[in-house]
Amino acid sequence: MNFFEIYAPRPRGEGRPSPPDSLTINLAEPADVEAIASLSSERSGLQFDAQLQLIQNEISGREDTTQLFVAQHDHKVVGFARNKFFTLPADIPANCAPPGWYLQGIIVDPAYRRLGIASELTQRRLHWLAGRASEAYYFCNAQNQVSIDLHQHFGFKEMTRNFTFPGVTFQGGIGILYRINLTAFSCVRYHFGVSP
């Protein structure tokens, strides 16, 4: 199973799409859990019940370590993404990724892809983090060019390809760790969801 969106960059000079007018980006609420779990299960191929339990745990008041954001169009959840705070485990290898906030796991409903929703979810999460941290991280498979382009657009810079992250392996064996300086982050287009 290929977990990556097909890489099909727009022709040079073609602008980025505008998301649907009624799109909103907000922090996830208990009413969103089943829709998020369904999107996650469809994308990953994992059992719905396992995804449901994971999502319920993530939005049960753990603001200090995990934030889930949902994209909704006409009150339907059409995408989600998370921020997660990583702390170093006790027995870390020398090349373990640094502690801090990480952007993780954007999933958009296939019917709503290529409309700029992943960009809006990324922008919203960075805006939330900018008031709470001076830097943030993101990692991905080196084969996932769609995700790489998205995050580089926002200013993420490659740090290393020689790192480990607990519980994560990369198809093909190569991951890339990125960092963004949030003190320089400008969110000029931010207009969705709740205030940071």
Side-chain angles (χ1 to χ4, degrees), residues 1 5 10 14 27 48 65 86 109 129 131 140 151 160 180:
M1 175 182 287
E5 179 69 12
R10 290 179 174 78
E14 183 179 316
L27 294 172
F48 172 79
T65 59
F86 170 61
D109 184 319
L129 284 172
C140 73
H151 289 82
T160 184
I180 187 171

Side-chain angles (χ1 to χ4, degrees), residues 167-179:
V168 175
T169 57
F170 298 99
Q171 180 182 356
I174 300 173
I176 309 175
L177 177 64
Y178 290 85
R179 176 186 173 275

Side-chain angles (χ1 to χ4, degrees), residues 25 69-71 79-81 106 117-125:
I25 307 287
F69 295 84
V70 291
F80 75 95
I106 296 177
I117 293 173
S119 290
E120 296 297 343
L121 281 163
T122 301
Q123 184 170 267
R124 177 66 180 94
R125 290 180 296 153

Side-chain angles (χ1 to χ4, degrees), residues 126 130 133-136 154-157 179-186:
L126 288 171
S134 60
E135 61 187 5
F154 284 96
F156 279 89
K157 305 293 185 193
R179 176 186 173 275
I180 187 171
N181 178 356
L182 292 173
T183 60
F185 179 69
S186 173

Side-chain angles (χ1 to χ4, degrees), residues 63-194:
E63 182 174 338
D64 57 333
T65 59
T66 305
Q67 282 296 305
L68 273 173
F69 295 84
V70 291
Q72 294 179 313
H73 180 247
D74 293 334
H75 307 290
K76 174 188 175 185
V77 173
V78 298
F80 75 95
R82 65 177 50 86
N83 287 340
K84 194 168 185 78
F85 191 84
F86 170 61
T87 54
L88 293 174
D91 54 345
I92 61 167
N95 66 340
C96 188
W101 282 102
Y102 282 74
L103 275 68
Q104 294 185 331
I106 296 177
I107 297 179
V108 176
D109 184 319
Y112 287 84
R113 290 182 189 157
R114 298 184 65 83
L115 297 175
I117 293 173
S119 290
E120 296 297 343
L121 281 163
T122 301
Q123 184 170 267
R124 177 66 180 94
R125 290 180 296 153
L126 288 171
H127 189 78
W128 186 90
L129 284 172
R132 295 162 173 83
S134 60
E135 61 187 5
Y137 303 92
Y138 143 81
F139 58 80
C140 73
N141 192 303
Q143 299 173 19
N144 192 348
Q145 194 61 50
V146 172
S147 183
I148 291 169
D149 284 2
L150 169 68
H151 289 82
Q152 286 181 339
H153 170 76
F154 284 96
F156 279 89
K157 305 293 185 193
E158 182 174 335
M159 289 179 63
T160 184
R161 296 181 183 216
N162 178 22
F163 75 100
T164 61
F165 194 91
V168 175
T169 57
F170 298 99
Q171 180 182 356
I174 300 173
I176 309 175
L177 177 64
Y178 290 85
R179 176 186 173 275
I180 187 171
N181 178 356
L182 292 173
T183 60
F185 179 69
S186 173
C187 204
V188 294
R189 289 190 57 243
Y190 174 77
H191 58 279
F192 291 121
V194 295

Side-chain angles (χ1 to χ4, degrees), residues 29-40:
E29 297 181 356
D32 303 319
V33 168
E34 287 193 16
I36 295 170
S38 180
L39 283 174
S40 184

